[in-house]
Amino acid sequence: REAAPLLVFPEGTCTTGRCLIGFKTGAFRPGCPALPVGISYQTSSGMSAGWVGPLATYSHFARLLCEWWIVVDINLLPLHVPSHEEIANPDVFAFKVQQEIASVLQVPIRNNFNVDTSIETWKQLGHEVQK
């Protein structure tokens, strides 16, 4: 039986794009081939185009509207057909795909990133967190 295509962002959150954070493994559990895609952004101000920090939707949107230009680079990588080891262990499958994307984007992998800790740090700096 043929599976329908599925688009996922396995980091599960937005980052500044300076690194790749740990991939969630749910999408890798079926053991289906994956088409890795690396996406990077450049802005006229040099600020991240990613929705980082607990900004409200309107604040993030307004910040992007203030950019003179935004360049989006989309890098399609070769289809990754999982090995028997990767099918048996989705963590290995996810990490191999993560390595491929990090390599093409030329960014490090930071699997110890914690979103909850980042939000707590934001609060400690006196910023309001939108839920």
Side-chain angles (χ1 to χ4, degrees), residues 2 5 7 9 22 24 30 33-34 37-38 49 52 58 68 72-76 79 83 88 115 125-126 128:
E2 196 170 311
L7 173 66
F9 294 89
K24 311 287 188 240
V37 178
V52 293
Y58 63 86
W68 286 103
V72 181
D73 289 317
I74 300 174
N75 300 280
L76 295 175
L79 186 68
S83 67
V115 173
L125 292 172
E128 185 177 329

Side-chain angles (χ1 to χ4, degrees), residues 14-37:
C14 294
T15 67
T16 62
R18 294 187 187 121
C19 68
L20 282 184
I21 61 174
F23 280 13
K24 311 287 188 240
T25 60
F28 299 93
R29 292 194 184 283
C32 298
L35 180 65
V37 178

